[in-house]
Amino acid sequence: MTETVTVRVQRYRPEEDTAPWEQSFEVPYSEDLSILDALNQIKDQQDPTLSHRWSCRMAICGSCGVMVNNEPKLSCKTFLRDYREQAAVTVRALDNFPIERDLVSDISGFIDHLETVQPWLIRSEEQPVSAGAYPQTPEQMQRYAAFSQCINCGLCYAACPQFGRDPAFLGPGALALAQRYNLDSRDEGAAQRMQWLNAGEGVWSCTFVGYCSEVCPKDVDPAAAINRGKVASDINYAVNLLNILRGKDDA
Amino acid sequence: MRRSHEPVAWSLFGAGGMLLAFIGPGLVLTTALLPWLAADDPQATHAAIGALLAHPLGKLLVLACVALPLFHTLHRIYHGLHDLHLPAPRLPLQLLCYGGATLLSAVTGWWLLQV
């Protein structure tokens, strides 16, 4: 007889459920079975009404984030074999986001925060295409390379207790992305982004819990990015104070 | 978006942390342990510390070593209580933590001027 594992899946269908509930499924076990494979097995073979997001199956698209036994994980990158010691595997929608249906979260608040920090190259004057690319040395690229690995999966937001308490907090992903562009030698938009970093909802809501960096599936280390953002905001504060003392406007 | 004034608290917190990390162990060694464990003449050590406190730079050093770690510790406690979901409004806690650090620093400064 085939060995099976119990997978407890959070269900929530807004048209018929008043609150999320848990449903157990028995899934045939194999060494290489990921949580995503298990969810697809359930949807294809047992209950076609189950809703979950996924696309690439290789930790690039960032759409399959869920809570696995209370930890934010990419379901494609998490394997049932690592939970063999435990009686069951529990899968639910990402913490800190409203649930749309079953395992599907509404991450629009997170997407809005990403757009707030203007995550693109800002130039005071765009050079014409004929002038060629903006050159950059490997050393200059290394300054921001780690922060550019983000796949916008939202696991760091599910991990962040500050975002959970105040959704206005820009959060780890957006602040790491702001840092990624502020550290880019081709970018001239740091002054515009600093106003967001300087705010209470910017870097200063972070109390350096550090769980965001622990759960990040791409080793972006958003906690380090935020702390570097704090240094930048600190210097910005002192410069602004000096400017006020010299009679300039409060920026 | 309004600029946060947290950089003031964070700078003091950072300075206190750096100071503690770099010279905290050395201070404990030279002022608390060595006079008792290694020095031949504890009274001479006491006099040396007294001479340090008599010099303006010595006073400044001791003030920095007391005031900055105070701000460091109380800043961490303030945010730690927030992380522990202490159901208290922010302002009284801020007054207690940062006000407390300011008051104790002022007392230290006053005492140093008396030495």
Side-chain angles (χ1 to χ4, degrees):
Chain A
M1 201 181 131
T2 324
E3 189 185 2
T4 63
V5 221
T6 308
V7 181
R8 292 208 290 256
V9 183
Q10 181 187 52
R11 303 301 307 268
Y12 176 66
R13 298 152 302 172
E15 65 277 11
E16 39 191 314
D17 300 328
T18 51
W21 53 286
E22 213 171 62
Q23 188 175 7
S24 280
F25 296 96
E26 291 298 316
V27 179
Y29 174 77
S30 69
E31 274 285 300
D32 56 357
L33 198 74
S34 67
I35 302 285
L36 178 62
D37 294 332
L39 293 173
N40 282 337
Q41 200 278 343
I42 294 168
K43 188 172 173 73
D44 294 343
Q45 311 291 329
Q46 304 187 46
D47 187 345
T49 68
L50 177 70
S51 296
H52 64 290
R53 279 201 188 106
W54 64 283
S55 178
C56 76
R57 290 168 292 139
M58 47 196 206
I60 291 295
C61 75
S63 52
C64 69
V66 285
M67 304 296 290
V68 180
N69 284 10
N70 297 320
E71 279 181 69
K73 296 272 187 192
L74 289 182
S75 65
C76 68
K77 211 186 167 197
T78 310
F79 291 86
L80 278 170
R81 61 172 180 260
D82 295 325
Y83 296 86
R84 292 302 279 150
E85 306 295 309
Q86 291 158 45
V89 179
T90 307
V91 184
R92 65 167 196 272
L94 285 178
D95 280 354
N96 301 338
F97 291 109
I99 305 171
E100 273 187 25
R101 188 184 184 85
D102 295 339
L103 300 174
V104 178
S105 304
D106 172 12
I107 58 164
S108 51
F110 160 52
I111 301 297
D112 289 345
H113 287 336
L114 284 181
E115 286 176 15
T116 298
V117 301
Q118 299 173 287
W120 51 82
L121 288 182
I122 297 172
R123 302 283 300 185
S124 48
E125 263 179 67
E126 286 283 347
Q127 67 182 27
V129 175
S130 57
Y134 297 113
Q136 187 168 58
T137 66
E139 288 76 21
Q140 286 171 327
M141 202 189 82
Q142 277 311 310
R143 294 184 66 208
Y144 67 85
F147 301 149
S148 69
Q149 301 301 306
C150 176
I151 55 172
N152 304 342
C153 63
L155 297 197
C156 54
Y157 283 74
C160 176
Q162 309 307 339
F163 178 72
R165 296 177 74 179
D166 179 13
F169 173 37
L170 288 178
L175 290 168
L177 203 57
Q179 201 60 16
R180 175 250 173 276
Y181 283 96
N182 281 354
L183 293 173
D184 192 320
S185 60
R186 301 164 297 177
D187 181 81
E188 293 167 349
Q192 279 163 255
R193 288 184 206 101
M194 281 318 288
Q195 58 170 321
W196 300 106
L197 266 68
N198 289 338
E201 295 84 357
V203 291
W204 300 111
S205 278
C206 167
T207 60
F208 207 49
V209 171
Y211 193 33
C212 53
S213 293
E214 261 180 62
V215 304
C216 178
K218 307 304 281 187
D219 296 324
V220 170
D221 201 352
I226 296 176
N227 244 27
R228 291 184 68 173
K230 282 182 181 175
V231 175
S233 179
D234 213 43
I235 294 168
N236 186 284
Y237 187 92
V239 170
N240 185 50
L241 205 61
L242 280 177
N243 283 339
I244 293 171
L245 290 175
R246 285 163 57 204
K248 291 189 184 169
D249 285 342
D250 186 5
Chain B
M1 277 210 146
R2 271 187 57 218
R3 181 189 279 277
S4 167
H5 294 293
E6 186 75 7
V8 178
W10 194 72
S11 300
L12 290 166
F13 160 77
M18 287 285 267
L19 201 71
L20 272 182
F22 281 116
I23 66 170
L27 272 179
V28 172
L29 191 70
T30 50
T31 61
L33 296 178
L34 279 185
W36 299 108
L37 296 178
D40 295 334
D41 185 356
Q43 279 180 348
T45 316
H46 186 264
I49 299 276
L52 173 78
L53 290 177
H55 195 277
L57 279 179
K59 288 185 201 290
L60 200 66
L61 178 75
V62 173
L63 180 66
C65 289
V66 173
L68 293 175
L70 267 175
F71 277 98
H72 175 86
T73 309
L74 285 159
H75 175 85
R76 200 61 260 179
I77 288 175
Y78 170 69
H79 284 294
L81 290 175
H82 167 80
D83 286 348
L84 291 170
H85 291 235
L86 183 83
R90 285 188 155 215
L91 192 65
L93 269 185
Q94 281 174 338
L95 280 175
L96 191 71
C97 291
Y98 298 113
T102 309
L103 184 74
L104 289 171
S105 301
V107 168
T108 308
W110 174 81
W111 177 79
L112 283 168
L113 287 175
Q114 309 302 309
V115 181

Short mmCIF file of all heavy atoms in Angstrom, two decimals, chain A residues 162 165 195-196 198-201 204 207 209 227 230-231 234 236-237 240 250-251, chain B residues 1-8 10-11 76 79-86 90:
data_model
loop_
_atom_site.label_atom_id
_atom_site.label_comp_id
_atom_site.label_asym_id
_atom_site.label_seq_id
_atom_site.Cartn_x
_atom_site.Cartn_y
_atom_site.Cartn_z
N GLN A 162 5.83 43.97 12.71
CA GLN A 162 5.46 45.40 12.62
C GLN A 162 4.44 45.63 11.50
O GLN A 162 3.50 46.39 11.67
CB GLN A 162 6.70 46.27 12.39
CG GLN A 162 7.84 46.03 13.34
CD GLN A 162 7.45 46.11 14.81
OE1 GLN A 162 6.44 46.71 15.16
NE2 GLN A 162 8.23 45.50 15.67
N ARG A 165 1.06 44.58 12.61
CA ARG A 165 0.37 45.49 13.53
C ARG A 165 -0.01 46.79 12.85
O ARG A 165 -0.95 47.46 13.26
CB ARG A 165 1.26 45.77 14.75
CG ARG A 165 1.50 44.52 15.56
CD ARG A 165 2.44 44.79 16.70
NE ARG A 165 1.80 45.54 17.76
CZ ARG A 165 2.42 45.89 18.89
NH1 ARG A 165 3.67 45.56 19.06
NH2 ARG A 165 1.79 46.57 19.81
N GLN A 195 12.31 60.65 1.32
CA GLN A 195 11.15 61.15 2.07
C GLN A 195 10.29 59.99 2.60
O GLN A 195 9.67 60.10 3.65
CB GLN A 195 10.31 62.08 1.20
CG GLN A 195 9.81 61.44 -0.07
CD GLN A 195 8.80 62.29 -0.79
OE1 GLN A 195 7.96 62.94 -0.17
NE2 GLN A 195 8.90 62.32 -2.11
N TRP A 196 10.26 58.87 1.87
CA TRP A 196 9.49 57.71 2.33
C TRP A 196 10.25 56.95 3.41
O TRP A 196 9.68 56.47 4.38
CB TRP A 196 9.17 56.77 1.16
CG TRP A 196 8.37 57.45 0.10
CD1 TRP A 196 8.82 57.87 -1.12
CD2 TRP A 196 7.00 57.87 0.18
NE1 TRP A 196 7.82 58.52 -1.80
CE2 TRP A 196 6.68 58.52 -1.03
CE3 TRP A 196 6.01 57.76 1.16
CZ2 TRP A 196 5.43 59.05 -1.29
CZ3 TRP A 196 4.76 58.28 0.90
CH2 TRP A 196 4.48 58.92 -0.31
N ASN A 198 12.44 58.23 5.45
CA ASN A 198 12.55 59.07 6.64
C ASN A 198 11.30 59.05 7.53
O ASN A 198 11.37 59.44 8.69
CB ASN A 198 12.79 60.54 6.24
CG ASN A 198 14.18 60.74 5.67
OD1 ASN A 198 15.08 59.96 5.93
ND2 ASN A 198 14.35 61.78 4.88
N ALA A 199 10.18 58.63 6.98
CA ALA A 199 8.91 58.71 7.72
C ALA A 199 8.83 57.62 8.79
O ALA A 199 9.58 56.65 8.77
CB ALA A 199 7.75 58.57 6.74
N GLY A 200 7.91 57.82 9.73
CA GLY A 200 7.67 56.80 10.76
C GLY A 200 7.25 55.48 10.12
O GLY A 200 7.59 54.41 10.60
N GLU A 201 6.51 55.55 8.99
CA GLU A 201 6.07 54.34 8.28
C GLU A 201 7.19 53.77 7.41
O GLU A 201 7.03 52.75 6.77
CB GLU A 201 4.85 54.63 7.41
CG GLU A 201 3.60 55.01 8.16
CD GLU A 201 3.57 56.50 8.50
OE1 GLU A 201 4.55 57.22 8.19
OE2 GLU A 201 2.56 56.95 9.08
N TRP A 204 11.80 53.62 10.10
CA TRP A 204 11.76 53.78 11.56
C TRP A 204 10.68 52.96 12.25
O TRP A 204 10.61 52.95 13.48
CB TRP A 204 11.67 55.26 11.93
CG TRP A 204 12.87 55.98 11.40
CD1 TRP A 204 12.89 56.89 10.38
CD2 TRP A 204 14.24 55.80 11.81
NE1 TRP A 204 14.19 57.28 10.14
CE2 TRP A 204 15.03 56.64 10.99
CE3 TRP A 204 14.87 55.00 12.77
CZ2 TRP A 204 16.42 56.71 11.12
CZ3 TRP A 204 16.24 55.07 12.90
CH2 TRP A 204 17.00 55.92 12.08
N THR A 207 11.90 47.35 14.17
CA THR A 207 12.61 47.22 15.44
C THR A 207 13.67 46.11 15.36
O THR A 207 14.09 45.57 16.37
CB THR A 207 11.66 46.93 16.62
OG1 THR A 207 10.97 45.72 16.35
CG2 THR A 207 10.66 48.05 16.81
N VAL A 209 13.67 42.95 14.31
CA VAL A 209 13.35 41.59 14.74
C VAL A 209 14.16 40.59 13.90
O VAL A 209 14.67 39.60 14.40
CB VAL A 209 11.83 41.34 14.61
CG1 VAL A 209 11.49 39.88 14.83
CG2 VAL A 209 11.06 42.24 15.58
N ASN A 227 18.45 48.37 7.91
CA ASN A 227 19.41 48.99 8.82
C ASN A 227 20.34 49.96 8.08
O ASN A 227 20.69 51.01 8.61
CB ASN A 227 20.21 47.93 9.57
CG ASN A 227 19.93 47.98 11.06
OD1 ASN A 227 18.84 48.41 11.46
ND2 ASN A 227 20.86 47.58 11.88
N LYS A 230 18.43 52.97 7.66
CA LYS A 230 18.39 53.78 8.89
C LYS A 230 19.61 54.68 8.97
O LYS A 230 19.50 55.85 9.35
CB LYS A 230 18.34 52.87 10.13
CG LYS A 230 16.96 52.29 10.39
CD LYS A 230 16.95 51.44 11.65
CE LYS A 230 15.59 50.85 11.90
NZ LYS A 230 15.56 49.94 13.03
N VAL A 231 20.78 54.16 8.60
CA VAL A 231 21.99 54.98 8.60
C VAL A 231 21.82 56.14 7.61
O VAL A 231 22.10 57.30 7.94
CB VAL A 231 23.24 54.13 8.24
CG1 VAL A 231 24.47 55.01 8.13
CG2 VAL A 231 23.47 53.05 9.28
N ASP A 234 19.40 58.61 8.97
CA ASP A 234 20.02 59.30 10.10
C ASP A 234 20.89 60.46 9.59
O ASP A 234 20.80 61.59 10.09
CB ASP A 234 20.91 58.30 10.84
CG ASP A 234 20.96 58.56 12.34
OD1 ASP A 234 19.89 58.83 12.91
OD2 ASP A 234 22.06 58.49 12.91
N ASN A 236 20.64 61.86 6.66
CA ASN A 236 19.72 62.79 6.02
C ASN A 236 19.09 63.73 7.05
O ASN A 236 18.92 64.93 6.81
CB ASN A 236 18.64 61.96 5.29
CG ASN A 236 17.71 62.82 4.46
OD1 ASN A 236 16.84 63.47 5.02
ND2 ASN A 236 17.90 62.82 3.16
N TYR A 237 18.76 63.18 8.23
CA TYR A 237 18.17 63.97 9.31
C TYR A 237 19.15 65.04 9.79
O TYR A 237 18.79 66.21 9.96
CB TYR A 237 17.80 63.04 10.47
CG TYR A 237 17.02 63.70 11.60
CD1 TYR A 237 15.63 63.70 11.60
CD2 TYR A 237 17.68 64.31 12.67
CE1 TYR A 237 14.92 64.28 12.63
CE2 TYR A 237 16.97 64.90 13.71
CZ TYR A 237 15.59 64.87 13.68
OH TYR A 237 14.88 65.46 14.71
N ASN A 240 19.64 67.74 7.16
CA ASN A 240 18.46 68.61 7.14
C ASN A 240 18.47 69.58 8.31
O ASN A 240 18.14 70.77 8.17
CB ASN A 240 17.20 67.75 7.16
CG ASN A 240 15.93 68.57 7.02
OD1 ASN A 240 15.83 69.39 6.11
ND2 ASN A 240 14.98 68.37 7.92
N ASP A 250 12.82 73.38 5.81
CA ASP A 250 12.75 72.01 6.30
C ASP A 250 12.38 71.11 5.12
O ASP A 250 11.35 71.32 4.49
CB ASP A 250 11.67 71.94 7.40
CG ASP A 250 11.65 70.59 8.07
OD1 ASP A 250 12.52 69.76 7.76
OD2 ASP A 250 10.77 70.38 8.92
N ALA A 251 13.24 70.13 4.81
CA ALA A 251 12.96 69.25 3.66
C ALA A 251 12.28 67.97 4.11
O ALA A 251 12.59 67.46 5.16
CB ALA A 251 14.26 68.91 2.94
N MET B 1 4.63 62.75 3.48
CA MET B 1 4.85 61.95 4.69
C MET B 1 5.68 62.74 5.69
O MET B 1 6.61 63.43 5.30
CB MET B 1 5.60 60.66 4.33
CG MET B 1 4.68 59.58 3.83
SD MET B 1 5.38 57.96 4.26
CE MET B 1 3.90 57.04 4.56
N ARG B 2 5.33 62.64 6.94
CA ARG B 2 6.05 63.42 7.96
C ARG B 2 7.36 62.74 8.33
O ARG B 2 7.44 61.52 8.52
CB ARG B 2 5.17 63.56 9.20
CG ARG B 2 4.27 64.80 9.11
CD ARG B 2 3.53 65.01 10.41
NE ARG B 2 4.41 65.13 11.56
CZ ARG B 2 4.14 64.60 12.76
NH1 ARG B 2 3.04 63.93 12.95
NH2 ARG B 2 4.97 64.78 13.77
N ARG B 3 8.40 63.55 8.45
CA ARG B 3 9.71 63.04 8.85
C ARG B 3 9.65 62.58 10.30
O ARG B 3 9.12 63.26 11.17
CB ARG B 3 10.73 64.17 8.69
CG ARG B 3 12.14 63.78 9.04
CD ARG B 3 13.02 65.01 9.06
NE ARG B 3 13.46 65.44 7.74
CZ ARG B 3 14.49 64.92 7.09
NH1 ARG B 3 15.18 63.94 7.62
NH2 ARG B 3 14.83 65.37 5.91
N SER B 4 10.20 61.40 10.56
CA SER B 4 10.23 60.88 11.94
C SER B 4 11.42 61.49 12.69
O SER B 4 12.46 61.78 12.10
CB SER B 4 10.37 59.36 11.89
OG SER B 4 10.70 58.87 13.17
N HIS B 5 11.25 61.70 13.99
CA HIS B 5 12.37 62.20 14.80
C HIS B 5 13.12 61.07 15.48
O HIS B 5 13.97 61.29 16.34
CB HIS B 5 11.86 63.22 15.84
CG HIS B 5 11.35 64.46 15.20
ND1 HIS B 5 12.16 65.34 14.53
CD2 HIS B 5 10.09 64.95 15.07
CE1 HIS B 5 11.43 66.33 14.02
NE2 HIS B 5 10.17 66.10 14.35
N GLU B 6 12.78 59.84 15.08
CA GLU B 6 13.45 58.66 15.63
C GLU B 6 14.98 58.69 15.44
O GLU B 6 15.70 58.13 16.27
CB GLU B 6 12.85 57.40 14.99
CG GLU B 6 13.34 56.07 15.53
CD GLU B 6 12.76 55.70 16.90
OE1 GLU B 6 11.87 56.44 17.37
OE2 GLU B 6 13.22 54.71 17.48
N PRO B 7 15.53 59.34 14.38
CA PRO B 7 16.99 59.37 14.23
C PRO B 7 17.72 59.88 15.48
O PRO B 7 18.82 59.42 15.78
CB PRO B 7 17.22 60.30 13.05
CG PRO B 7 16.02 60.09 12.20
CD PRO B 7 14.88 59.90 13.17
N VAL B 8 17.11 60.81 16.23
CA VAL B 8 17.77 61.32 17.44
C VAL B 8 17.97 60.17 18.44
O VAL B 8 19.08 59.92 18.92
CB VAL B 8 16.92 62.45 18.09
CG1 VAL B 8 17.60 62.93 19.36
CG2 VAL B 8 16.71 63.59 17.11
N TRP B 10 17.75 56.97 17.81
CA TRP B 10 18.52 55.87 17.22
C TRP B 10 20.02 56.18 17.24
O TRP B 10 20.84 55.28 17.43
CB TRP B 10 18.05 55.60 15.79
CG TRP B 10 18.54 54.31 15.23
CD1 TRP B 10 18.14 53.05 15.58
CD2 TRP B 10 19.54 54.14 14.22
NE1 TRP B 10 18.83 52.11 14.84
CE2 TRP B 10 19.69 52.75 14.00
CE3 TRP B 10 20.31 55.02 13.46
CZ2 TRP B 10 20.58 52.23 13.07
CZ3 TRP B 10 21.20 54.50 12.54
CH2 TRP B 10 21.33 53.12 12.35
N SER B 11 20.39 57.45 17.03
CA SER B 11 21.81 57.84 17.06
C SER B 11 22.39 57.60 18.45
O SER B 11 23.49 57.05 18.59
CB SER B 11 21.99 59.31 16.70
OG SER B 11 21.48 59.55 15.42
N ARG B 76 16.19 50.31 23.72
CA ARG B 76 15.93 48.90 23.42
C ARG B 76 14.74 48.38 24.24
O ARG B 76 13.90 47.63 23.76
CB ARG B 76 17.19 48.08 23.70
CG ARG B 76 17.29 46.74 23.04
CD ARG B 76 17.27 46.80 21.55
NE ARG B 76 15.96 46.47 21.02
CZ ARG B 76 15.65 46.46 19.73
NH1 ARG B 76 16.53 46.76 18.83
NH2 ARG B 76 14.43 46.16 19.33
N HIS B 79 11.44 49.79 22.71
CA HIS B 79 10.98 49.06 21.53
C HIS B 79 10.69 47.60 21.85
O HIS B 79 9.81 47.00 21.24
CB HIS B 79 12.01 49.18 20.40
CG HIS B 79 11.98 50.53 19.74
ND1 HIS B 79 10.89 50.97 19.01
CD2 HIS B 79 12.85 51.55 19.73
CE1 HIS B 79 11.11 52.19 18.57
NE2 HIS B 79 12.31 52.58 18.99
N GLY B 80 11.41 47.06 22.82
CA GLY B 80 11.15 45.68 23.24
C GLY B 80 9.75 45.54 23.83
O GLY B 80 9.05 44.57 23.56
N LEU B 81 9.32 46.54 24.61
CA LEU B 81 7.98 46.50 25.20
C LEU B 81 6.91 46.59 24.10
O LEU B 81 5.88 45.93 24.17
CB LEU B 81 7.81 47.66 26.19
CG LEU B 81 8.62 47.53 27.48
CD1 LEU B 81 8.47 48.78 28.33
CD2 LEU B 81 8.20 46.30 28.28
N HIS B 82 7.21 47.38 23.05
CA HIS B 82 6.30 47.45 21.90
C HIS B 82 6.21 46.07 21.23
O HIS B 82 5.12 45.59 20.91
CB HIS B 82 6.80 48.50 20.91
CG HIS B 82 6.13 48.46 19.58
ND1 HIS B 82 4.90 49.03 19.35
CD2 HIS B 82 6.52 47.90 18.40
CE1 HIS B 82 4.55 48.82 18.09
NE2 HIS B 82 5.52 48.15 17.49
N ASP B 83 7.37 45.42 21.05
CA ASP B 83 7.40 44.10 20.41
C ASP B 83 6.68 43.06 21.27
O ASP B 83 6.15 42.09 20.74
CB ASP B 83 8.85 43.65 20.17
CG ASP B 83 9.49 44.41 19.01
OD1 ASP B 83 8.75 45.10 18.29
OD2 ASP B 83 10.72 44.32 18.85
N LEU B 84 6.69 43.26 22.58
CA LEU B 84 6.00 42.31 23.48
C LEU B 84 4.52 42.66 23.63
O LEU B 84 3.82 42.08 24.47
CB LEU B 84 6.67 42.32 24.86
CG LEU B 84 8.08 41.72 24.91
CD1 LEU B 84 8.72 42.00 26.26
CD2 LEU B 84 8.06 40.23 24.63
N HIS B 85 4.05 43.61 22.81
CA HIS B 85 2.63 44.00 22.80
C HIS B 85 2.16 44.53 24.14
O HIS B 85 1.05 44.24 24.56
CB HIS B 85 1.74 42.82 22.37
CG HIS B 85 1.92 42.45 20.94
ND1 HIS B 85 0.88 42.40 20.04
CD2 HIS B 85 3.02 42.14 20.23
CE1 HIS B 85 1.33 42.05 18.85
NE2 HIS B 85 2.64 41.89 18.94
N LEU B 86 3.02 45.27 24.84
CA LEU B 86 2.58 45.86 26.10
C LEU B 86 1.45 46.85 25.80
O LEU B 86 1.63 47.78 25.01
CB LEU B 86 3.75 46.61 26.76
CG LEU B 86 3.42 47.20 28.13
CD1 LEU B 86 3.55 46.14 29.21
CD2 LEU B 86 4.30 48.39 28.44
N ARG B 90 1.98 55.21 23.85
CA ARG B 90 3.41 55.43 23.58
C ARG B 90 4.01 56.56 24.41
O ARG B 90 5.13 56.43 24.89
CB ARG B 90 3.61 55.74 22.09
CG ARG B 90 3.48 54.48 21.24
CD ARG B 90 3.85 54.74 19.80
NE ARG B 90 4.28 53.48 19.22
CZ ARG B 90 5.24 53.36 18.31
NH1 ARG B 90 5.87 54.41 17.88
NH2 ARG B 90 5.57 52.18 17.83
#
